[in-house]
């Protein structure tokens, strides 16, 4: 190997990359997403639509660092020969190539490669025929013959950047095989032979491309596909700071404006658009006559590009009054060049041509000399290659915007179809007819490559765009004569398709560009109010599909409950794919609707992570349809099927899918008639499934046999964290079986056995398991039949257990004796934080015992004693504990027979207590005396946040005492004084007084 020649090659590549490769906010380039082929959306839709629909995110994918891009993924695999990296226009594919080449030339990464040979498809467009040998020479003209021979025997990486800019479509089905290294063939055939391995089979090939163009390469020929990830929130901010580095205040203001505009902010995940957006808003704000808070910043794509173009065309000449004649000359010259560039952009867009040569420029009368001397030179980039000069727009959207400006101007005087460049066509007179023609062409385009063009064309009718560009492309105020007709035409096209497509949604986006948002606003308001029922006509469904992508209402959850029919759901199907959280409760969905939903969940594009189908009419056939989709779905993490009728067979189908699916984390089958048989099937699935963390089986007639099967699964399953079995028939036998499972399992955190006919026998088994179990943190045993004997067993377990945090024993038969035993245990236990003892026939003796415990215990934060007759004596005992306890934050004493003396004691305790945040005294009789005690406490207490004094016979005087105490500074966020005979007029005065210093305080009167 000629070492000096290799060194020279590295130095040449470093020079090719440039002297500085400081990534700054582009560091995300060094972490790529490992993906398994293209989604349907990536193959068929415009780049912008891909970002808008997916909101700039993809399903969770493995990441692969740049330095490992061409290495085996494991010790059992081999390095990829053909690697493809995809990314939408402007995401940084060419930058990534330069980063890699620069780092390799410095010896930092890719050390396995002796040679790295970078080429762009833009360069290859200059040639009709090439041999493999000439291809290598193009990438490394400085290498000698000897080095060329070495390339064939040494590990070499050939980089082909920008497949989407190649002038010819690759046809792998009709490729003539060529194995001759020196034979010249058509360039597209050369590339297909190289990819197939007929030529340069020992070289590693790395191709970058926009997603749609990548679909030309058969998936079977690609060994590794990666995707460049877009910006996150922090990176968007860093990048805007970088773009507007000379004015940090402006950068912050631009960031705030963008975050308030969801549609634009989503697009800022693409660096090129982030730069355009930041520059445009920065330019607008800098030149605004009012303060940033007072002006209406650009809100649409058309407005963003209008101000960007205005900045590019006018920015350098601002303030140079002494050169006015020169400015006018340059501006007039620029207008002529822009008109020619617009024509080039439009007809090239139709032909999907994005790279131009000098002959293209001449064909469209673009005067190159004028281009370089005019203000347009920053809107068209020039690149010198070995044999020719090529031109291209900085970003695809520049071409689309210029194409729209040309079409807008030409349509006002054009007599024939402008889409027909030469030859005759049917006459089309006037802008409106030409606009309709353009919209129709875009609707007929399967891949939406005219979507942005039509959106920009509609946007030119926006008042703000007209104001920005009236000196360049538009006549001032002429949009008024077209706007209403265009809006009417666009709305007439909505709802004409049986299934809503991306093209339909683009019509809604066109209306947004014109700033006609009435239709979308009415549907958005109905979504906020959950009043969509009966509103979803075909036209309104189109608006809803648009809102699913753009509205803040749908960010956390798209709530489509109680408003969908089979047919409306069918029409929205393709647009629901990309909602991360769907609520479809109470829609009367039957099994046939689940067939539709199953097709969505089975799709490769599916991004639904959470779906709720509660309270529908889904039977076992519907459950089977969902189960089939779960076998292939990789996005869904939560499925809620509460209150349907899937039965044992539906449960079996879902259980079978869980044996394969390793993505679902939560499954809710509450109230589904699953019964013992269905529970057994699910338990068998838990033996194989290692990802499901939450399983809800309440109200399913689960008995001892089903419980035993679940217990057996718990001995081997280490993934399940939450098991809800409330309102079943578990009984003592089932409890004993579950206890055996708990002795082995140490990962289950929550077990809910509410209302399961469990007596002291069953609870004894469970609590003895707790003595050894060190995993369970929450145990719900409310509404069972546990008596004093069971309580004593619970107390014994609390002395030994150090992990249980929440214990619910409400509505049992504990009585004073049982609670006294538990209270004694609390003196030793320092782990329990929440204890619920409501409805347990407790009186003052138990309250006294708990009081003594609270004076020692340092962990309990919540104590619920509601509906227990502890009386004033019990309340006074608890009050004495509050004077020394510093950990209790929530105390519930609802309907506890507390009157004057008990409330007085509690008030005195609150004067010194600094930890209690919530006190619930609903349904007692504290009266005026208690009100005064509470008022005195509220004057000095700074810890209490929520106070409930509902139905306490306070009267107007008592309420005034409370309100007077709260007219000063206080920390309450909620107070309830309902049911105290105050009257409407008094209630308003009191509520206003309480909110005097704390307007956000919620006052219930």
């Amino acid at each position: 190997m000629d070492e000096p020649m290799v060194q020279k090659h590295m130095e040449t590549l470093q020079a090719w990359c440039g002297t500085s490769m400081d990534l700054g906010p582009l560091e995300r380039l060094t972490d790529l997403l490992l993906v398994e082929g293209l989604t349907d959306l990536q193959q068929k839709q415009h780049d912008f639509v891909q970002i808008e629909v997916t909101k700039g995110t993809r399903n969770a994918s493995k990441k692969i660092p740049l330095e490992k891009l061409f290495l085996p993924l494991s010790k059992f695999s081999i390095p990829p020969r053909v690697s493809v990296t995809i990314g939408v226009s402007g995401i940084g594919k060419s930058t990534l190539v330069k980063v890699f080449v620069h780092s390799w030339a410095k010896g930092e990464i890719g050390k396995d490669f002796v040679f790295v040979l970078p080429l762009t498809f833009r360069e290859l467009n200059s040639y009709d025929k090439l041999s493999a040998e000439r291809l290598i020479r193009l990438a490394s003209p400085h290498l000698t013959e000897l080095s060329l021979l070495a390339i064939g025997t040494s590990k070499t990486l050939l980089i082909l950047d920008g497949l989407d800019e190649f002038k010819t479509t690759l046809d792998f089905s009709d490729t003539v095989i060529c194995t001759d290294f020196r034979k010249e063939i058509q360039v597209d055939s050369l590339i297909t032979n190289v990819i197939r391995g007929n030529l340069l089979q020992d070289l590693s090939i790395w191709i970058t491309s926009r997603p749609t163009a990548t679909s030309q390469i058969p998936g079977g020929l690609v060994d590794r596909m990666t995707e460049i990830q877009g910006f996150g929130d922090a990176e968007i901010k860093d990048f805007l700071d970088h773009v507007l580095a000379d004015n940090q205040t402006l950068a912050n203001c631009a960031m705030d404006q963008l975050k308030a505009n969801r549609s634009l902010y989503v697009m800022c995940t693409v660096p090129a658009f982030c730069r355009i957006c930041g520059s445009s808003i920065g330019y607008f704000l800098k030149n605004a006559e009012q303060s940033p808070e007072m002006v209406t910043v650009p809100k649409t794509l058309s407005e963003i590009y209008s101000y960007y173009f205005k900045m590019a065309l006018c920015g350098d000449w601002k303030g140079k009054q002494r050169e006015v004649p020169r400015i006018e000359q340059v501006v007039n010259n620029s207008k002529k060049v822009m008109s020619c560039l617009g024509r080039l952009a439009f007809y090239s867009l139709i032909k999907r041509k994005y790279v131009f040569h000098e002959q293209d420029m001449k064909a469209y009368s673009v005067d190159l000399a004028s281009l370089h001397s005019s203000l347009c030179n920053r809107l068209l980039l020039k690149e010198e290659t070995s044999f020719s000069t090529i031109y291209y727009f900085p970003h695809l959207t520049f071409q689309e915007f210029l194409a729209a400006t040309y079409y807008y101007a030409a349509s006002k005087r054009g007599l024939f179809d402008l889409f027909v460049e030469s030859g005759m066509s049917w006459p089309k007179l006037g802008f409106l007819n030409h606009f309709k023609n353009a919209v129709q062409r875009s609707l007929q385009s399967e891949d939406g490559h005219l979507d942005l063009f039509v959106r920009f064309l509609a946007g030119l009718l926006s008042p703000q765009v007209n104001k920005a560009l009236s000196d360049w492309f538009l006549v001032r105020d002429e949009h008024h004569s077209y706007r209403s007709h265009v809006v009417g035409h666009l709305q007439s096209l909505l709802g004409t398709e049986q299934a809503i497509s991306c093209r339909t949604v683009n019509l809604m986006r066109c209306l947004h560009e014109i700033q006609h948002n009435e239709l979308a606003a009415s549907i958005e308001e109905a979504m906020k109010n959950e009043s969509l029922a009966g509103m979803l006509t075909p036209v309104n469904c189109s608006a809803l599909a648009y809102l699913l992508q753009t509205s803040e209402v749908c960010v956390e959850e798209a709530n489509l409950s109680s408003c969908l029919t089979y047919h409306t759901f069918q029409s929205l199907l393709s647009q629901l794919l990309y909602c991360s959280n769907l609520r479809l409760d109470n829609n009367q969905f039957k099994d046939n609707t689940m067939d539709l939903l199953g097709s969505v969940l089975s799709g490769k594009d599916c991004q639904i992570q959470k779906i709720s189908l509660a309270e529908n009419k889904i039977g076992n056939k519907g459950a089977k349809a969902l189960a089939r989709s779960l076998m292939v779905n990789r996005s869904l993490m939560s499925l809620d099927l509460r209150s349907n009728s899937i039965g044992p067979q539906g449960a079996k189908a879902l259980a079978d899918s869980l044996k394969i699916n390793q993505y679902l984390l939560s499954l809710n089958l509450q109230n589904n008639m699953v019964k013992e048989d269905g529970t057994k099937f699910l338990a068998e699935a838990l033996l194989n499934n290692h990802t499901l963390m939450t399983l809800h089986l309440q109200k399913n007639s689960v008995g001892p046999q089903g419980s035993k099967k679940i217990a057996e699964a718990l001995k081997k399953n280490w993934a399940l964290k939450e098991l809800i079995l409330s309102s079943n028939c578990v009984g003592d036998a089932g409890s004993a079986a579950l206890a055996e499972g708990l002795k082995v399992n140490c990962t289950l955190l929550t077990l809910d056995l509410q209302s399961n006919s469990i007596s002291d026998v069953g609870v004894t088994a469970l609590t003895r398991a707790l003595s050894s179990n060190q995993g369970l943190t929450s145990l719900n045993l409310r509404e069972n039949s546990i008596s004093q004997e069971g309580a004593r067993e619970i107390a014994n377990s609390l002395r030994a257990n150090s992990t249980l945090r929440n214990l619910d024993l409400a509505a049992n038969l504990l009585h004073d004796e049982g609670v006294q035993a538990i209270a004694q245990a609390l003196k030793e236990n320092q782990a329990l934080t929440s204890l619920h003892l409501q409805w347990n026939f407790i009186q003052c003796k138990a309250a006294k015992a708990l009081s003594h415990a609270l004076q020692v215990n340092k962990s309990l934060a919540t104590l619920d004693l509601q509906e227990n007759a502890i009386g004033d004596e019990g309340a006074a005992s608890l009050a004495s504990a509050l004077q020394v306890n510093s950990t209790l934050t929530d105390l519930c004493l609802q309907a506890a027979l507390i009157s004057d003396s008990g409330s007085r004691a509690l008030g005195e305790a609150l004067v010194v207590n600094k930890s209690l945040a919530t006190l619930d005294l609903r349904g007692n009789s504290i009266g005026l005396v208690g009100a005064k005690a509470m008022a005195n406490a509220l004057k000095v207490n700074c810890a209490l946040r929520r106070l409930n004094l509902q139905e306490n016979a306070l009267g107007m005087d008592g309420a005034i005492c409370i309100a007077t105490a709260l007219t000063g500074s206080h920390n309450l966020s909620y107070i309830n004084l309902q049911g105290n005979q105050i009257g409407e007029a008094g209630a308003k005065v009191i509520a206003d007084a309480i909110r005097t210093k704390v307007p956000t305080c919620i006052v219930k009167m």
Side-chain angles (χ1 to χ4, degrees), residues 896-911:
L897 299 183
I898 300 170
S899 59
D900 295 0
S901 59
S903 60
R904 189 185 298 115
L906 287 168
E908 291 170 357
L910 288 176
V911 171

Side-chain angles (χ1 to χ4, degrees), residues 438-730:
V439 172
Q440 191 59 38
R441 297 265 186 171
S442 75
L443 291 173
Q444 291 168 350
S445 169
E446 290 186 6
D447 63 0
H449 89 285
L450 294 175
D451 279 4
L452 260 289
F453 160 74
V454 169
R455 216 185 288 182
F456 283 137
L457 183 60
L460 293 175
L461 300 177
S462 159
Q464 192 156 344
V465 171
N466 180 271
K467 181 180 178 182
L469 296 181
S470 57
D471 293 333
W472 287 91
F473 306 112
L474 308 176
V475 176
R476 186 175 296 276
D477 295 331
E478 75 172 344
H479 61 286
H480 294 304
S481 59
Y482 302 134
R483 192 169 179 272
S484 61
H485 297 290
V486 166
V487 168
H489 178 65
L490 291 171
Q491 288 185 328
S492 72
L493 295 172
L494 297 173
T496 57
E497 293 180 320
Q498 193 168 16
I500 295 169
S501 66
C502 289
R503 303 290 79 71
T504 310
V505 175
N506 198 59
L507 294 174
M508 287 297 304
R509 291 189 180 274
C510 287
L511 288 171
H512 174 66
E513 292 296 321
I514 304 175
Q515 288 292 282
H516 182 84
N517 296 311
E518 287 84 347
L519 175 60
S522 66
I523 300 301
E524 186 172 43
E525 187 63 27
M527 288 187 76
K528 289 178 183 176
N529 300 329
E530 298 184 12
S531 57
L532 277 175
M535 288 185 64
L536 293 183
T537 62
V539 171
N540 288 348
C541 277
S542 301
L544 177 58
Y546 164 73
L547 290 169
L548 289 174
Q549 295 180 18
T550 61
S551 174
E552 291 290 339
V553 178
C554 302
V555 172
E556 296 299 325
E557 178 184 76
N559 188 348
L560 301 179
S561 299
S562 307
C563 66
L564 298 180
T565 65
Y566 175 86
H567 293 294
T568 54
F569 182 71
Q570 186 178 34
S571 70
L572 287 165
L573 211 55
S574 63
Q575 303 306 307
L576 297 177
L577 269 170
Y578 309 102
C579 297
S580 60
N581 187 350
L582 265 180
R583 182 169 293 279
L584 303 172
D585 301 344
N586 195 27
N587 276 306
Q588 307 298 306
F589 284 163
K590 297 180 181 178
D591 293 342
N592 58 346
T593 312
M594 294 306 100
D595 289 329
L596 294 176
L597 182 56
S599 68
V600 171
L601 292 173
S602 301
K604 194 174 183 180
D605 286 20
C606 181
Q607 294 199 352
I608 302 172
Q609 296 179 5
K610 189 175 181 181
I611 189 164
S612 178
L613 292 159
E615 299 177 14
N616 281 290
K617 296 182 177 180
I618 303 166
N620 71 83
K621 289 183 179 178
K624 288 176 181 176
L626 291 173
R628 286 192 295 272
S629 68
L630 286 178
M631 291 185 178
V632 294
N633 179 279
R634 295 188 175 189
S635 67
L636 196 67
M637 293 188 286
S638 176
L639 175 60
D640 188 346
L641 289 168
R642 278 173 299 136
S643 301
N644 282 285
S645 307
I646 70 169
Q649 291 305 307
K652 181 181 186 302
L654 289 168
D656 289 340
S657 70
L658 287 177
K659 294 174 183 177
I660 297 171
N661 181 292
Q662 297 297 324
Y663 297 90
L664 196 70
L665 302 179
S666 176
L667 177 61
N668 191 336
L669 297 178
Q670 173 184 341
N671 192 23
N672 262 289
M673 300 185 289
V674 168
K675 301 182 179 179
E676 295 276 62
D677 288 344
T679 306
K680 292 176 185 177
F681 296 132
L682 290 165
E684 289 172 10
L686 290 177
L687 294 172
N688 297 294
N689 184 286
H690 304 296
T691 52
L692 193 71
M693 298 175 68
T694 302
L695 179 60
H696 288 244
L697 290 174
Q698 58 266 51
K699 296 184 180 179
N700 269 301
S701 302
V702 180
Q705 295 305 312
S707 303
K708 287 177 183 177
K709 287 293 184 182
I710 289 176
E712 290 300 315
L714 287 177
K715 293 177 182 178
K716 297 180 179 179
N717 180 293
W718 306 112
L720 199 67
K721 305 298 180 190
E722 182 178 350
L723 177 60
I724 311 297
L725 289 170
S726 57
S727 302
N728 281 297
C729 316
V730 171

Side-chain angles (χ1 to χ4, degrees), residues 721-763:
K721 305 298 180 190
E722 182 178 350
L723 177 60
I724 311 297
L725 289 170
S726 57
S727 302
N728 281 297
C729 316
V730 171
D732 290 337
S735 298
L738 289 169
E740 292 301 310
L742 289 176
K743 289 178 181 178
V744 179
N745 183 293
C746 60
T747 55
L748 189 71
L749 301 177
T750 300
L751 178 60
D752 188 339
L753 293 171
Q754 175 182 343
S755 188
N756 262 292
S757 304
I758 300 170
S759 70
D760 293 338
V761 175
V763 86

Side-chain angles (χ1 to χ4, degrees), residues 696-885:
H696 288 244
L697 290 174
Q698 58 266 51
K699 296 184 180 179
N700 269 301
S701 302
V702 180
Q705 295 305 312
S707 303
K708 287 177 183 177
K709 287 293 184 182
I710 289 176
E712 290 300 315
L714 287 177
K715 293 177 182 178
K716 297 180 179 179
N717 180 293
W718 306 112
L720 199 67
K721 305 298 180 190
E722 182 178 350
L723 177 60
I724 311 297
L725 289 170
S726 57
S727 302
N728 281 297
C729 316
V730 171
D732 290 337
S735 298
L738 289 169
E740 292 301 310
L742 289 176
K743 289 178 181 178
V744 179
N745 183 293
C746 60
T747 55
L748 189 71
L749 301 177
T750 300
L751 178 60
D752 188 339
L753 293 171
Q754 175 182 343
S755 188
N756 262 292
S757 304
I758 300 170
S759 70
D760 293 338
V761 175
V763 86
T764 298
L766 285 168
T767 53
R768 288 179 181 174
L770 282 180
S771 298
S772 59
N773 179 285
Q774 295 299 314
L776 203 68
T777 60
S778 182
L779 178 61
N780 186 352
L781 291 170
R782 68 162 51 201
E783 296 175 20
N784 282 293
S785 304
I786 304 167
S787 70
Q788 297 96 315
E789 183 181 342
R792 283 191 284 273
E793 293 293 338
I794 291 170
N796 291 334
S797 70
L798 288 176
R799 290 187 176 92
N801 183 282
S802 61
T803 57
L804 195 68
R805 299 286 181 268
N806 306 299
L807 178 60
D808 192 338
L809 295 170
N812 278 287
L813 307 167
L814 303 186
H815 295 277
D816 278 359
E817 294 83 354
V819 175
Q820 283 174 315
I822 291 172
Q824 282 297 115
L826 288 177
K827 292 180 179 180
E828 300 176 39
N829 181 288
Q830 297 298 323
L832 201 68
T833 59
S834 174
L835 178 61
H836 291 263
L837 295 169
Q838 58 264 49
W839 303 303
N840 261 295
F841 307 100
I842 298 170
Q843 296 182 4
C844 64
K845 288 181 181 179
K848 286 179 181 178
L850 287 167
S851 172
H852 294 315
L854 287 173
Q855 294 178 46
V856 178
N857 182 281
K858 301 296 182 186
S859 65
L860 199 67
T862 299
L863 178 61
D864 191 341
L865 294 172
Q866 64 176 293
E867 302 287 350
N868 284 297
I870 66 170
D872 286 334
E873 191 177 350
S877 297
L878 291 170
S880 65
L882 289 178
Q883 294 195 17
V884 294
N885 181 282

